Structure formats: C-alpha cells, structure tokens
Amino acid sequence: MAELTQILRTGPFHLALRAALAARGLALHRVQHKLAQRGIKVGVTSLSYWQQGARRPQRPESLRAVRALEEVLDLPARSLHRLLVPEGGSRAETAERPAARSYRSLFDPSDALHALLAELEAPADGGLHTVGHHEWVHIGAGRELSRRRSLQVVRAHRDGVDRYIAIHQGDAGCDPSRVTVTAGENCRLGRVRRNAATAMVVAELLFDVRLRAGDTHVFGHSFEDGSGGQSAEYVRGFRFAGGQYVLQVCFDEAALPVRCRRFTQTKAGAPRSGQQELTLSGQHRTVHLVEQGVRPGIVGIGWDWG
C-alpha cells in the first residue's frame, strides 16, 4: 500500500494503474464487469494496454472510464485522472510536456554538449519523455567501460516527433573517434557528432514513424567504447520526471570491484544522497538498481577497486 500511495503521487499513470490492480487483487475481466455495471464500456484489451503503458487514455470517454476506475479500485477521487490531466486541465493537456531540467544541470561541461546538439539542429525540447528504460553497462578486464546498451520506451508530448538524441560521455582518456554507435530495435542511425576535449558523442536515432502526442515508441541502441581509462561509476541524467529506470552493471571476471553503491544527485556537481550498498551477484558479476518513478536529476552506481 505504501508503494501504491507513492506511485499515485508521482506516476506515471500506467504504473499507478498496475499497482492499484495488484493491491486490490482484481483481474481485468472483473474490472471490466464492474465498469459495465456503472455504464462504462471498456475492453479488457484496452485495460491491459493502459496498465502496460502501450496506450494512454486520452479521449473523453476513456477519461470518464478512468474516473470510474478510481471507484472500482477504491482509490481517492482524481488520483488516476490527475496523472493524465492536471488539476483544471483540459483534454489538450493529456499529452502535456512534463516539467524538465536543462542539460546544463545534468552535464558538466554543458557548453560542449549544446554545441553538438546545435550541429544536429536538435531543439531544446525533443518532444519525448521516457516511460521505461533498461540499461546494461559492461566493464572490461582493464576496468574500462567497454559497452553500454539501452532499450527505451518513450512517449511523445507533441506531434511530429521522429527521432531521439542519444548522448555518451566517456571516462577520462576516452577517444570519441573510437566510439561506435549502433542502432537496435525500431530505429536507424542518423548523424553522429563528437567532441574530443570532453569525450562526448551525440547520435541521432531515427524512427520510421512520426509520433503523435501521446504515442509511445520502443527502440534500442548501444555505444561501444573501451577507449577510456579506469571507470569508477556510471551515471544517468533525467530531464523529465516519471517512468521506470533499470540499470545493470556487469563486471569482467578479471576485474571485480570490492564495493558497489547506488547514489543520486540533484544536479551535476551536487552532493550525493540516497546512497545504498549493492551486493555483487556471484555467477553473473552484476549489480543493479531499479527506480520506479524517476525524478529530474542524476541516478548512478559507483564502485571501488581493490
């Protein structure tokens, strides 16, 4: 129940709905039946898509169903609805752009990043925010960051979005010219820009569809590095709140750390908080963290070498 209360406060909608269904122990066909008793017709498939985040209730009749869902699931009034439409909001706001942090607060130095983004003619608001992100980071035998791979689910908060800008900043000694970018599921590689002084690589990932506001898209990509020096942490900056983030760090058997910990920061250079010891799994040599509803700022895993 504590988790449900938290997710109802922070969202996103699909995780809040899923948590409420689990807390009440109701199967989707029972929910559909209870909605029908209230004169609301919603298919089991639609309910399933809503809780998966594959679709988002947007039409007026769907938003009425959400209000009825609050009754069926014994939730506070507007607790689900407000995750879709802010207090006093209208239908036009259901895909509203979440409050965002600037790149300047997440990257140091940020001037180089802004210059690279300008070369790609990337707007300040790319039109996408993350619904779910699973990231794998591999640390090689020389204690270097050798590869990182991502599978992301994003939602458009404006019409016409057809690309995502991926950013990689290598460790000290990284040679951006040796970093390889690979497009994975449901995207293809566009332009790539590099800055040697800051070890930054910025890549354009192109979709084969133009998203409308509220649409979701699943895609993957990876950066092959291995050119930097000894790595001691991996961090991920979030401009928007909401969504789930999973980070796994895998170590080569020839280079195992003696201690690992999770941490958060409000911005680049800020004191670290939320520190928590992580236990390295034996056989797979990994540590991980899961953030159910990320907040704007920085989340990472650091480690100490013996």
Side-chain angles (χ1 to χ4, degrees):
M1 291 303 299
E3 180 184 4
L4 173 57
T5 301
Q6 173 69 15
I7 296 177
L8 285 173
R9 184 164 58 250
T10 63
F13 169 80
H14 73 286
L15 289 181
L17 175 58
R18 190 186 310 167
L21 289 167
R24 306 306 180 217
L26 287 176
L28 293 183
H29 71 276
R30 289 292 300 156
V31 174
Q32 181 194 38
H33 177 69
K34 289 178 177 292
L35 289 174
Q37 290 178 327
R38 290 167 169 79
I40 304 292
K41 294 183 179 181
V42 180
V44 171
T45 300
S46 293
L47 291 171
S48 178
Y49 283 159
W50 290 356
Q51 71 162 341
Q52 294 172 32
R55 289 183 184 171
R56 184 177 172 93
Q58 298 186 68
R59 295 177 299 176
E61 57 268 31
S62 296
L63 294 176
R64 285 195 295 271
V66 170
R67 297 298 299 273
L69 270 174
E70 294 166 352
E71 296 179 14
V72 169
L73 298 173
D74 193 24
L75 299 175
R78 286 191 56 83
S79 57
L80 288 176
H81 190 267
R82 72 173 186 81
L83 297 175
L84 298 166
V85 183
E87 195 71 39
S90 63
R91 162 64 185 87
E93 293 172 302
T94 57
E96 183 183 21
R97 174 184 183 270
R101 285 280 187 88
S102 68
Y103 281 121
R104 191 173 300 278
S105 69
L106 302 177
F107 287 90
D108 185 22
S110 60
D111 290 343
L113 174 59
H114 281 289
L116 293 176
L117 294 174
E119 289 186 36
L120 295 181
E121 302 169 304
D125 174 16
L128 298 170
H129 56 276
T130 298
V131 175
H133 187 174
H134 195 151
E135 190 163 30
W136 295 263
V137 173
H138 297 265
I139 305 300
R143 300 181 175 181
E144 80 287 358
L145 192 157
S146 61
R147 182 178 187 237
R148 68 178 183 88
R149 177 168 58 94
S150 287
L151 181 65
Q152 288 183 251
V153 185
V154 294
R155 186 185 307 281
H157 48 257
R158 61 176 173 80
D159 291 337
V161 181
D162 64 356
R163 67 198 61 206
Y164 175 86
I165 303 298
I167 303 168
H168 175 76
Q169 185 169 22
D171 291 310
C174 167
D175 179 357
S177 68
R178 294 171 55 191
V179 175
T180 302
V181 191
T182 302
E185 299 91 335
N186 302 318
C187 66
R188 50 195 170 84
L189 187 62
R191 296 170 292 177
V192 179
R193 297 293 183 268
R194 309 168 195 268
N195 183 284
T198 58
M200 279 189 184
V201 179
V202 175
E204 191 178 47
L205 300 172
L206 306 175
F207 307 153
D208 290 329
V209 295
R210 285 187 177 272
L211 304 180
R212 297 175 300 174
D215 286 350
T216 55
H217 191 68
V218 181
F219 66 100
H221 65 280
S222 64
F223 288 89
E224 300 281 349
D225 194 340
S227 65
Q230 180 171 290
S231 181
E233 65 182 24
Y234 182 79
V235 300
R236 163 64 59 179
F238 294 94
R239 299 184 63 208
F240 300 103
Q244 182 191 69
Y245 176 60
V246 180
L247 170 62
Q248 288 181 271
V249 181
C250 178
F251 297 90
D252 188 277
E253 61 182 353
L256 299 180
V258 296
R259 180 171 174 256
C260 299
R261 62 201 168 278
R262 167 201 180 275
F263 62 86
T264 60
Q265 292 174 278
T266 57
K267 60 181 181 180
R272 294 184 173 181
S273 59
Q275 299 203 39
Q276 177 184 352
E277 295 292 322
L278 301 177
T279 301
L280 190 71
S281 67
Q283 180 179 1
H284 299 289
R285 307 179 302 280
T286 63
V287 290
H288 77 278
L289 61 79
V290 179
E291 294 290 318
Q292 289 290 1
V294 299
R295 298 179 179 181
I298 294 170
V299 178
I301 293 178
W303 50 90
D304 299 325
W305 300 108

